[in-house]
Amino acid sequence: MSVADDFSLTRAGSLARLNTLRVAARAEWLAEARDAADVPRVLARPELRDLPCLALGGGSNVLFVHDVTGLVLRLANRGITILEDSPEAALVRVAAGENWDQFVRWSLEAGFQGLENLILIPGSVGAAPIQNIGAYGVEARDFIAGVEAWDREAETCVRFDNAACEFGYRDSIFKHRPNRYIVTDVDFLLPRRRALRLDYVGVRQELEAMGVRQPSAADVARAVETLRRRKLPNPAQIGNAGSFFKNPVVSQTELAALRDRCPEMPAHAYGDDQFKLSAAWLIDACGLKGVREGAAGISERHALVLVNHGGATGEELWALATRVRETVAERFGVMLEPEPVVI
Ligand code: EPU
């Protein structure tokens, strides 16, 4: 290992502890930068210049099927800075290396509202815009004012405003150009007052069970925390990357055709004329919840979550994911798309 400026660089670096699916893959080169200014310095190294580069945050949304050719760059920069403040809202710059959940808790303690539904999502702040992370009726894009990134092609820092990020359901411009943009900081516009989002299935019931009649943002955060802990396996206990499949989005005509064959299929309106199917329901209906192939499995708690019971390789996990996709496609004619980045 060599350490120069404020970054470390390792050849054949182990990724085992850097991905929450706990796959024991290796990176041809592994760099960790503790400062955004080190990103161009790392990339300018002669041995790294022409290699593909994958930026890695908390590793909670990636499946390494094989060892990684080229450079894996982990950004470990820190800092939460209020750039502008008013009685209504604040513009807050957060370093990509900050932990998402800790940032959410900071925002609630500082008196801001809005991020309460996004508590306990694993991963880093830098990964939030890439995936446009979302839960319980709220998405990161609702609060992202801008993203600062290093543009590897233009060799300069670039700023994306919210529209330029091209956010979609678990999607953004960054997800499509993983080799080009390295997110270094994210700016959030955090309101001090915002209507609480309680409509997602389960949230109101959980608040009722807690005996809360007039919930505060902190109450909603507690309710969501309880729901997540009950439903989703904890990556600290069992290797997983949250939802492994996206909920398929279909047109009204497609939904009607699916419901001709399967009237009980659940769907939620999405946008003006589209519908989101429940990937978990489709997998569950195929009897795949809780299945195991060696150490690779589908969680017994939630059918959307691929789990590593211990020692599964990336290839084994991907083989099981492929079996799930093929089974669902055969039975329902719907091809599930993975949510994490599959390398
Ligand atoms: N369901 C089943 N079997 C299961 C689990 C769920 O049939 O094992 C059905 C039920 O009908 C349930 C419905 O699926 O009502 C929806 O389940 P859930 O509320 O858990 O939501 P989801 O659509 O499965 C999405 C996100 C999660 C997020 C939750 C809550 C995606 C791919 N996943 O899951 O995000 O926490 O909503 O908002 O959009 C993640 O992205 O990693 C993630 C965990």
Side-chain angles (χ1 to χ4, degrees), residues 130-159:
I130 297 173
Q131 266 298 97
N132 179 26
I133 56 173
Y136 299 96
V138 175
E139 288 182 331
R141 73 162 145 195
D142 304 339
F143 301 93
I144 292 177
V147 172
E148 303 272 320
W150 177 258
D151 180 343
R152 213 186 165 195
E153 253 169 50
E155 299 197 344
T156 179
C157 281
V158 279
R159 183 182 167 79

Side-chain angles (χ1 to χ4, degrees), residues 168-199:
Y169 165 53
R170 297 295 190 278
D171 201 26
S172 72
I173 190 170
F174 312 107
K175 202 166 175 182
H176 296 273
R177 313 270 177 81
N179 194 29
R180 176 161 181 188
Y181 299 118
I182 291 150
V183 173
T184 53
D185 295 275
V186 186
D187 292 347
F188 294 87
L189 189 63
L190 299 179
R192 290 216 156 72
R193 267 187 194 287
R194 186 176 190 261
L196 298 171
R197 287 293 176 94
L198 309 173
D199 290 334

Side-chain angles (χ1 to χ4, degrees), residues 289-332:
K289 189 169 174 173
V291 288
R292 251 183 105 145
E293 275 178 14
I298 297 297
S299 171
E300 290 147 12
R301 288 212 209 172
H302 200 303
L304 260 191
V305 185
L306 185 71
V307 291
N308 184 350
H309 289 283
T313 63
E315 272 171 318
E316 287 164 345
L317 289 162
W318 183 238
L320 179 57
T322 305
R323 177 180 150 199
V324 170
R325 297 178 79 198
E326 284 170 355
T327 311
V328 169
E330 239 165 66
R331 167 102 183 260
F332 295 107

Side-chain angles (χ1 to χ4, degrees), residues 60-61 121-122 131 133-137 169-170 200-201 228 231-232 241-247 266 268 276-282 284-285 289 299-305 339:
S60 55
N61 211 56
I121 296 182
Q131 266 298 97
I133 56 173
Y136 299 96
Y169 165 53
R170 297 295 190 278
Y200 196 93
V201 203
R228 288 189 72 99
K231 276 196 178 181
L232 297 167
S243 296
F244 193 82
F245 298 103
K246 292 206 234 185
N247 287 326
H268 302 276
K276 243 190 211 175
L277 305 177
S278 163
W281 186 90
L282 298 170
D284 218 346
K289 189 169 174 173
S299 171
E300 290 147 12
R301 288 212 209 172
H302 200 303
L304 260 191
V305 185
E339 195 207 76

Side-chain angles (χ1 to χ4, degrees), residues 85-162:
D85 208 354
S86 83
E88 289 79 39
L91 183 67
V92 182
R93 175 159 295 180
V94 189
E98 286 285 340
N99 174 274
W100 174 264
D101 182 56
Q102 282 168 14
F103 165 56
V104 170
R105 286 167 204 273
W106 173 90
S107 77
L108 294 171
E109 274 161 31
F112 298 110
Q113 296 194 340
L115 298 183
E116 54 277 358
N117 297 42
L118 301 179
I119 199 156
L120 216 63
I121 296 182
S124 65
V125 167
I130 297 173
Q131 266 298 97
N132 179 26
I133 56 173
Y136 299 96
V138 175
E139 288 182 331
R141 73 162 145 195
D142 304 339
F143 301 93
I144 292 177
V147 172
E148 303 272 320
W150 177 258
D151 180 343
R152 213 186 165 195
E153 253 169 50
E155 299 197 344
T156 179
C157 281
V158 279
R159 183 182 167 79
F160 294 82
D161 63 15
N162 183 290

